[in-house]
Amino acid sequence: MTRFLFLFSIFILSVSASCSDSFYEKFIQCLSLNSPPLIPVSTIVYSPSNSSYLSILESNVKNLRFSSPTTSKPLIIVTPLIDSHAQATVICCRQLGLQVRIRSGGHDYEGLSYTAGLPFVLLDLQFLRSIDVDIEDNNAWVEVGATIGEVYYRIAEKSPIHGFPAGLCPLVGVGGHLSGGGFGTMLRKYGLAADNIIDAHFVDVNGRILDRASMGEDIFWAIRGGGAASFGVVISWKIKLVDVPRTVTVFSIAKFLDRNATKLVHKWQHIGHKLDTNLFIRVVIQATSTTDGRFRNNILQLTFNSMFLGRADQLLKIMENSFPELGLKLSNCTEMSWIESVLYFSYYPEGTSIEALRDRIPQEIVYFKGASDYVKKPIPEAAWEQIWKMCLEEENSVLIMDPYGGRMNEISESEIPFPHRKGNLYNIQYFIQWEDGGVGPSKRHIEWIRRVYKHMTPYVSHSPRTAYLNYRDLDLGRNDNVNTTYSQAARWGLKYYKNNFRRLAIVKGEVDPYNFFAFEQSIPPLTFNEGKRATE
Ligand SMILES: Cc1cc2nc3c(=O)[nH]c(=O)nc-3n(C[C@H](O)[C@H](O)[C@H](O)COP(=O)(O)OP(=O)(O)OC[C@H]3O[C@@H](n4cnc5c(N)ncnc54)[C@H](O)[C@@H]3O)c2cc1C
Ligand SMILES: *[C@@H]1O[C@H](CO)[C@@H](O)[C@H](O)[C@H]1NC(C)=O
Ligand SMILES: *[C@@H]1O[C@H](CO)[C@@H](O)[C@H](O)[C@H]1NC(C)=O
Ligand SMILES: *[C@@H]1O[C@H](CO)[C@@H](O)[C@H](O)[C@H]1NC(C)=O
Ligand SMILES: *[C@@H]1O[C@H](CO)[C@@H](O)[C@H](O)[C@H]1NC(C)=O
């Protein structure tokens, strides 16, 4: 095995060193043949010898774990300026027998949009980012390289009473986020971002560009929550806008964790998912270090972080009835516009202008690892004390609990591939970040996530234990190679998709039977007959 890997890495090196020049020529030739002549393809193709190769590659790396000298790097990067560049890239990668990785915003937790264990071409869609909002028809066409912050900004620019229900971090890319689900402060009222997609432009394995009508309902189903990268390249989404009030109300109540605060978390577990659907209260538990005399200590802070689609006086009434223990006062609430609430949740300093949402430079880039679970019945109070102990072991550990319920309960598990609907009280994300990327520190932090994940087993969903695709976790399992079978992949596939995994694999078998779009957690192709056998 070691010998095999060794030979294999020599193969990669030789491809990237000696053959790469002629390879680059061939690739450029193929792209030119398949693109319109207006834009010289040499302006959108980078090989490692181009001076800006590294800066383009790193411009969209959001996790430093995948930005080291030993991280696998693409033979070529293509940065399309028009749709047909993406079509040509698919055609040429197939012709030259190369894998492709598709990247929009680069937030993949495991770096799967820009790394691979094989020679590959990076299709980087960051320059396809136009946003066309049509307030009259209540929808927008958004290209995948846009960030969700830009989408929010462009909607708010045209109307103070329209919005879109996607995630909290404004830099997340529209491409990956919408194809994996996407949730934020409005999920209890409007569901996921993926629930609000009404059309798409998509490049299939043959390099054809398709819309909803021409791709058919199977592909259109699969790419909304199934992770589009197993099926092809999304170029743009047509999204449905939702109503937001002119004034929303936000609050953050922070406490140090003691027994009383634990009681609040416990109460929240019972009501967070049942509250008025205009009200979203998330719980964030964060360890930070303090210095107490000579001793450095970790302490835990608990924050109830909330958005209400309405005025503060209405919010207070709801809170008095359903969560009086929190002791929310009018002075704890801030009224603002919906677009200002987007900034509020993204941790920009107070007073930042909404123009900041157009800014694509991250505040900081760190090493991180995450994992997730769904909770279906409240975790016993005593168990929380154990969980706090584990959180205290590491500074910069975070637990984020997002309440479900509301609209999420009304959408069936098979409506789109994202299956975590009725019966889930909340999603819990385990997250840890660190700044020293040395082997020791990285190992220690990753081990922490694994220990917590193991510890949580008795308290979370089971058979299958479920997880959120957009918090991708390779510890759940990975494909060994392009021939990984349906049953092998089911180990991780059922966690993300439950029973939708089988339909995803059948759609994959129909549209990409030779598995061109393959990666560590891509859906394996299943022919209909195999599919019948697999479930018998
Ligand atoms: C700091 C941070 C905050 C986050 N906050 C939230 C949040 O509030 N809510 C939430 O739900 N999630 C959140 N996420 C998770 C986020 O939704 C996922 O990481 C999402 O997949 C990122 O999309 P991207 O385009 O930025 O990433 P990429 O790394 O570009 O893509 C992710 C995956 O999608 C594929 N893909 C990307 N573009 C395309 C395309 N055009 N066609 C086909 N396949 C494509 C990639 O190949 C890869 O498999 C957060 C992540 C981070 C790092
Ligand atoms: C990369 O380098 C080649 C050869 O010097 C050049 O022709 C091409 O324009 C460069 N690509 C970009 C995107 O700058
Ligand atoms: C909430 O308001 C009360 C009363 O004004 C105040 O004492 C308390 O500090 C506030 N809490 C937060 C978290 O701001
Ligand atoms: C916890 O709550 C009890 C009863 O409400 C109160 O008497 C006590 O002071 C609280 N403890 C802390 C640390 O806030
Ligand atoms: C996958 O299967 C094909 C067809 O059976 C075979 O030719 C190929 O070598 C296999 N690839 C790997 C990586 O095992």
Side-chain angles (χ1 to χ4, degrees):
M1 185 62 187
T2 331
R3 191 181 157 79
F4 171 74
L5 282 177
F6 178 69
L7 289 174
F8 189 66
S9 51
I10 289 187
F11 168 71
I12 294 179
L13 284 178
S14 61
V15 169
S16 51
S18 66
C19 316
S20 69
D21 287 351
S22 68
F23 173 78
Y24 180 79
E25 295 307 321
K26 273 191 209 146
F27 193 81
I28 290 263
Q29 240 170 34
C30 176
L31 270 192
S32 307
L33 274 174
N34 289 284
S35 312
L38 289 166
I39 306 168
V41 298
S42 62
T43 61
I44 59 155
V45 180
Y46 302 80
S47 80
S49 54
N50 284 87
S51 55
S52 32
Y53 168 90
L54 262 189
S55 62
I56 287 283
L57 178 63
E58 283 168 3
S59 64
N60 246 346
V61 169
K62 301 289 158 56
N63 188 344
L64 289 179
R65 276 168 64 211
F66 310 106
S67 182
S68 84
T70 57
T71 305
S72 66
K73 300 208 168 31
L75 293 176
I76 283 181
I77 305 173
V78 186
T79 56
L81 299 176
I82 48 176
D83 302 3
S84 58
H85 290 153
Q87 297 176 268
T89 304
V90 169
I91 291 168
C92 297
C93 284
R94 278 190 76 192
Q95 245 174 50
L96 295 170
L98 280 166
Q99 289 262 306
V100 64
R101 289 293 177 271
I102 310 162
R103 181 166 77 174
S104 291
H107 284 71
D108 193 285
Y109 273 36
E110 300 280 11
L112 300 192
S113 53
Y114 53 90
T115 61
L118 296 157
F120 71 105
V121 169
L122 172 58
L123 180 58
D124 184 321
L125 298 157
Q126 62 174 304
F127 299 123
L128 285 183
R129 49 187 273 207
S130 75
I131 297 169
D132 193 1
V133 178
D134 185 341
I135 291 294
E136 225 138 77
D137 280 344
N138 215 31
N139 60 46
W141 273 104
V142 297
E143 285 187 324
V144 288
T147 66
I148 56 175
E150 288 168 338
V151 174
Y152 298 154
Y153 178 87
R154 291 294 169 206
I155 296 170
E157 188 182 49
K158 292 215 166 152
S159 161
I161 53 164
H162 288 78
F164 186 67
L168 278 82
C169 171
L171 288 179
V172 162
V174 162
H177 187 64
L178 271 64
S179 82
F183 63 79
T185 58
M186 296 201 288
L187 98 158
R188 303 194 61 251
K189 175 112 177 179
Y190 295 117
L192 307 169
D195 293 325
N196 293 280
I197 298 172
I198 46 184
D199 203 340
H201 289 158
F202 171 80
V203 176
D204 78 353
V205 68
N206 298 313
R208 290 179 305 175
I209 203 149
L210 307 170
D211 65 4
R212 179 174 182 168
S214 53
M215 78 178 80
E217 287 302 303
D218 277 344
I219 300 183
F220 187 62
W221 174 82
I223 61 177
R224 290 173 297 154
S230 296
F231 302 92
V233 184
V234 179
I235 299 294
S236 53
W237 303 107
K238 186 180 191 183
I239 57 173
K240 194 172 66 193
L241 307 183
V242 301
D243 296 338
V244 299
R246 274 174 206 280
T247 306
V248 306
T249 305
V250 299
F251 70 80
S252 287
I253 299 284
K255 312 219 174 246
F256 290 115
L257 253 177
D258 55 21
R259 188 144 292 158
N260 287 4
T262 303
K263 286 211 182 315
L264 290 177
V265 176
H266 197 61
K267 173 80 194 252
W268 173 87
Q269 294 191 96
H270 289 270
I271 54 146
H273 60 105
K274 283 195 225 151
L275 294 168
D276 185 309
T277 58
N278 289 309
L279 179 55
F280 168 89
I281 306 180
R282 63 169 5 198
V283 176
V284 181
I285 314 280
Q286 202 158 6
T288 46
S289 81
T290 58
T291 314
D292 175 8
R294 291 191 340 225
F295 300 102
R296 254 164 79 88
N297 241 329
N298 289 341
I299 49 166
L300 283 190
Q301 195 172 326
L302 158 73
T303 309
F304 289 94
N305 209 200
S306 174
M307 181 170 84
F308 176 63
L309 292 163
R311 309 289 301 237
D313 53 347
Q314 281 170 277
L315 170 62
L316 280 181
K317 274 191 207 124
I318 294 174
M319 290 297 282
E320 270 157 29
N321 279 327
S322 31
F323 200 3
E325 298 85 346
L326 194 59
L328 188 75
K329 301 280 182 301
L330 195 61
S331 60
N332 304 129
C333 301
T334 312
E335 292 187 336
M336 54 179 65
S337 63
W338 170 73
I339 194 69
E340 286 165 341
S341 80
V342 169
L343 279 181
Y344 178 84
F345 275 93
S346 55
Y347 303 108
Y348 282 105
E350 216 181 307
T352 303
S353 135
I354 59 166
E355 299 293 320
L357 294 172
R358 302 168 62 185
D359 194 351
R360 297 167 72 93
I361 315 286
Q363 295 174 31
E364 60 169 349
I365 303 182
V366 293
Y367 297 82
F368 73 83
K369 168 84 184 164
S372 66
D373 266 313
Y374 281 91
V375 177
K376 299 190 151 195
K377 47 180 207 288
I379 296 175
E381 220 174 304
W384 285 114
E385 302 290 343
Q386 290 300 316
I387 298 167
W388 305 154
K389 268 194 200 134
M390 297 192 91
C391 294
L392 278 170
E393 289 168 18
E394 287 292 347
E395 63 175 307
N396 299 321
S397 64
V398 188
L399 303 188
I400 301 174
M401 297 182 258
D402 285 309
Y404 275 40
R407 179 79 186 122
M408 294 298 278
N409 286 356
E410 296 166 6
I411 299 173
S412 90
E413 281 194 9
S414 57
E415 181 72 26
I416 63 170
F418 176 104
H420 319 291
R421 306 286 185 174
K422 195 172 181 178
N424 291 290
L425 309 186
Y426 57 96
N427 174 275
I428 181 164
Q429 178 181 191
Y430 320 107
F431 186 90
I432 189 159
Q433 65 178 56
W434 61 100
E435 274 154 33
D436 177 351
V439 179
S442 292
K443 187 161 178 266
R444 196 185 87 213
H445 289 94
I446 292 170
E447 285 303 323
W448 180 84
I449 288 275
R450 291 178 180 156
R451 259 186 301 126
V452 172
Y453 186 77
K454 189 162 172 230
H455 180 84
M456 294 301 287
T457 311
Y459 310 121
V460 297
S461 63
H462 57 85
S463 323
R465 183 171 181 177
T466 50
Y468 176 36
L469 175 64
N470 268 341
Y471 299 154
R472 194 192 296 286
D473 178 8
L474 283 179
D475 289 348
L476 301 180
R478 65 165 85 202
N479 301 338
D480 296 327
N481 58 46
V482 299
N483 293 334
T484 295
T485 64
Y486 173 81
S487 345
Q488 288 163 338
R491 190 171 141 231
W492 56 264
L494 294 175
K495 292 186 160 63
Y496 291 139
Y497 309 112
K498 297 179 77 175
N499 291 332
N500 296 326
F501 184 55
R502 181 168 163 273
R503 179 169 171 202
L504 283 168
I506 290 174
V507 176
K508 171 78 172 180
E510 279 160 12
V511 306
D512 184 19
Y514 300 106
N515 206 8
F516 168 68
F517 291 109
F519 55 97
E520 291 83 341
Q521 281 187 345
S522 59
I523 311 284
L526 183 64
T527 63
F528 186 70
N529 287 333
E530 277 178 277
K532 282 212 304 220
R533 255 184 280 129
T535 50
E536 266 162 22

